[in-house]
Amino acid sequence: VVWHRADLLDAPAAAEVVAQVRAELLLHLAWDVTPGAFWTAPGNVRWVEASLALLRAFLDGGGARAVLAGTCAEYDWAALQGPCRELGTPLGPHTLYGTCKHATRLVAQALAAQRGASLAWGRIFHLYGPGEQAGRLVPSVARALLAGEPVRTSDGSQIRDFAHVRDVAAGFAALLDSDAQGPVNIATGRPVSVRAVIEAIAAATGNGELIEWGALDRVPGEPPELFADVTRMREEVGFTAGTDLAEGLRETVESWRRGG
Amino acid sequence: VVWHRADLLDAPAAAEVVAQVRAELLLHLAWDVTPGAFWTAPGNVRWVEASLALLRAFLDGGGARAVLAGTCAEYDWAALQGPCRELGTPLGPHTLYGTCKHATRLVAQALAAQRGASLAWGRIFHLYGPGEQAGRLVPSVARALLAGEPVRTSDGSQIRDFAHVRDVAAGFAALLDSDAQGPVNIATGRPVSVRAVIEAIAAATGNGELIEWGALDRVPGEPPELFADVTRMREEVGFTAGTDLAEGLRETVESWRRGG
């Protein structure tokens, strides 16, 4: 593996590296996903610009296939009925983050199609795993319980799709190696309640009595159910997210027990 | 009037000018609209990037209201029924140009809303007038007839909205001075056939017998009818495109008679 370094927000610097490397494949993941801030982070407008500039540079250098990272927040959360399907569920992001992703996909797909290049767009749902930023759900619950501190949660009735970060990474790699084009959900296809996720963390830490269920209201605007149909991933890419949730959460808790 | 010059495709240079000027109002019109090429011009992806960078710089400098130029090609031309309405007609561009405009509007509106700034998006339909690039419909017909050369046309049955460029400019100025937000069609609201436009040019040149109606096929993918509802422009902006088509075309033909 040869590593090249460039600040993708510095478009000329990024274009220079891309021109040197002349890669056949592009897998682009970088956006502003700072926990607690990313939904409204204006920096993601810069990532629209940077992502399109990167894709242009890649195609100009003869690139053949690109995979970019999208989000479940591209779907219209007010119109969800059952699992999110790439080609049937209405799109209509309610956040600046989702809007930036949606707009980038529209232009990236149109540009790639016109240039005769292949492009897929992996829509990430929820994820967890070792190394996650401490402010997010799984680490914040795991670390508090490991420290013997109380955890205030919502009622946990939200239905989500939680994928292990290793499966998400492997899913992107499989998508890059495939011929699938357009949006492809990268998720487990096994919806679960937030309560079940927290209970699995509690089982791994042994301090479940510290959880104060219902102490927090659910976040306004977040849908009661948000989960993925993974037919495209399974049938067109040939990939299934294999990690068992309880096992993955045990592993994640152990990583926090060792200090994160 | 104080003029400032910058290449908007050079984002740092553009940001520097914007930071110097600290304008309250932004009216942004620049895109790649090269006749015959703009529908597929990959350069318009750069205009997505440049338009968003310009808007960011403007808002960072305390800008209060921005108006950007959109296009009738944002509407889904396969789904048109009657006039295009800003808030009812489905969007779904079929071209890279329309996709770039659509994506820019989505992000620009979300960013402005979040920053508490006011933003409108003027959707241009067809236009004509003195100084138009020679390859476009009105100048090409006018110049050929003035030179006594034959003109090969389609059957001319397409219904369009042709606005005088002076009305489009005045419409943008009125839109900027108004409080209207979001997409606003900038057009006459008086649909006309392409045949009627060509006949008015012929009447002004006096060489109508040189027109070979139906010698060309209509352009595939272009809708039979594409015209604007201008209720928002009339009621919320208080503007009506006043130029009479025959009078505007006479004036335009005279400009070409004098050499363009």
Side-chain angles (χ1 to χ4, degrees):
Chain A
V1 175
V2 179
W3 293 87
H4 301 267
R5 261 181 106 96
D7 179 357
L8 296 181
L9 293 173
D10 178 350
E16 197 181 315
V17 165
V18 171
Q20 279 170 19
V21 175
R22 297 186 74 83
E24 263 174 82
L25 302 176
L26 169 66
L27 174 59
H28 170 47
L29 302 170
W31 282 71
D32 184 344
V33 290
T34 308
F38 74 98
W39 292 118
T40 57
N44 279 317
V45 177
R46 292 184 70 195
W47 281 110
V48 177
E49 302 161 28
S51 299
L52 294 175
L54 176 64
L55 179 62
R56 285 194 297 106
F58 170 72
L59 296 174
D60 287 347
R65 174 163 173 82
V67 170
L68 285 73
T71 167
C72 59
E74 294 165 47
Y75 294 110
D76 182 356
W77 288 358
L80 296 180
Q81 292 183 314
C84 294
R85 294 180 212 280
E86 298 91 340
L87 303 177
T89 300
L91 300 172
H94 293 243
T95 59
L96 181 61
Y97 177 72
T99 302
C100 286
K101 290 280 195 176
H102 175 50
T104 301
R105 182 188 67 85
L106 290 173
V107 177
Q109 261 191 264
L111 178 64
Q114 186 169 295
R115 299 283 290 267
S118 173
L119 185 138
W121 181 263
R123 290 206 180 114
I124 302 171
F125 281 65
H126 286 66
L127 36 65
Y128 71 93
E132 189 172 9
Q133 293 207 45
R136 289 167 58 91
L137 176 69
V138 171
S140 67
V141 172
R143 293 175 75 205
L145 294 184
L146 286 171
E149 293 165 2
V151 174
R152 295 161 56 85
T153 74
S154 69
D155 65 4
S157 63
Q158 309 91 317
I159 303 298
R160 298 289 182 268
D161 188 311
F162 275 85
H164 193 288
V165 65
R166 191 170 47 222
D167 284 339
V168 173
F172 268 103
L175 181 55
L176 191 62
D177 279 340
S178 81
D179 294 326
Q181 299 226 31
V184 177
N185 293 335
I186 297 192
T188 69
R190 300 183 295 273
V192 66
S193 71
V194 169
R195 182 169 187 119
V197 171
I198 295 174
E199 284 174 341
I201 300 169
T205 60
N207 280 333
E209 72 285 356
L210 294 168
I211 299 169
E212 298 175 24
W213 296 106
L216 300 180
D217 288 335
R218 288 165 51 180
V219 179
E222 294 200 351
E225 304 197 347
L226 175 64
F227 58 100
D229 179 286
V230 293
T231 308
R232 290 205 75 193
M233 197 66 179
R234 190 178 61 239
E235 297 187 357
E236 295 182 51
V237 180
F239 178 84
T240 298
T243 305
D244 173 74
L245 181 67
E247 177 52 37
L249 286 170
R250 263 195 302 277
E251 174 200 336
T252 303
V253 166
E254 287 315 303
S255 80
W256 286 110
R257 203 189 294 275
R258 293 190 307 268
Chain B
V1 175
V2 178
W3 293 88
H4 301 266
R5 261 181 105 96
D7 179 357
L8 296 181
L9 294 174
D10 179 349
E16 196 182 314
V17 165
V18 171
Q20 280 169 21
V21 174
R22 296 187 73 84
E24 264 175 81
L25 302 176
L26 169 66
L27 175 59
H28 169 47
L29 301 170
W31 282 71
D32 183 344
V33 291
T34 309
F38 74 100
W39 291 118
T40 57
N44 278 317
V45 176
R46 293 184 70 194
W47 281 110
V48 177
E49 302 161 29
S51 299
L52 294 175
L54 176 64
L55 179 62
R56 284 194 297 108
F58 170 71
L59 296 175
D60 287 346
R65 176 164 171 83
V67 171
L68 285 73
T71 168
C72 59
E74 293 165 49
Y75 294 109
D76 182 355
W77 287 359
L80 296 180
Q81 291 184 313
C84 294
R85 294 180 213 279
E86 297 91 339
L87 303 177
T89 300
L91 300 172
H94 293 244
T95 60
L96 181 61
Y97 177 72
T99 302
C100 287
K101 290 279 195 177
H102 176 49
T104 301
R105 181 187 68 84
L106 290 173
V107 177
Q109 259 191 265
L111 178 64
Q114 187 169 295
R115 299 283 290 266
S118 172
L119 186 139
W121 182 263
R123 290 206 179 113
I124 303 171
F125 281 65
H126 286 67
L127 36 64
Y128 71 92
E132 191 173 8
Q133 291 208 45
R136 289 168 56 90
L137 176 71
V138 171
S140 67
V141 172
R143 294 174 74 205
L145 294 182
L146 286 170
E149 294 165 2
V151 173
R152 296 159 56 84
T153 74
S154 70
D155 65 5
S157 62
Q158 308 94 316
I159 303 298
R160 297 289 183 268
D161 187 310
F162 275 85
H164 194 287
V165 65
R166 191 169 48 222
D167 285 338
V168 174
F172 269 104
L175 181 56
L176 191 62
D177 279 340
S178 80
D179 293 324
Q181 299 226 34
V184 177
N185 293 334
I186 297 192
T188 69
R190 300 182 295 272
V192 65
S193 71
V194 169
R195 182 169 187 120
V197 171
I198 295 174
E199 284 174 341
I201 300 169
T205 59
N207 279 334
E209 73 286 355
L210 293 169
I211 298 168
E212 299 175 24
W213 294 106
L216 300 180
D217 288 334
R218 286 165 52 178
V219 179
E222 293 199 352
E225 303 197 348
L226 174 64
F227 58 100
D229 179 285
V230 294
T231 307
R232 292 206 74 192
M233 197 64 180
R234 189 178 61 238
E235 297 186 357
E236 296 183 49
V237 180
F239 179 84
T240 298
T243 306
D244 174 76
L245 182 67
E247 177 53 37
L249 285 170
R250 265 196 299 277
E251 175 201 334
T252 303
V253 165
E254 288 315 303
S255 80
W256 286 111
R257 202 190 295 275
R258 294 190 305 269

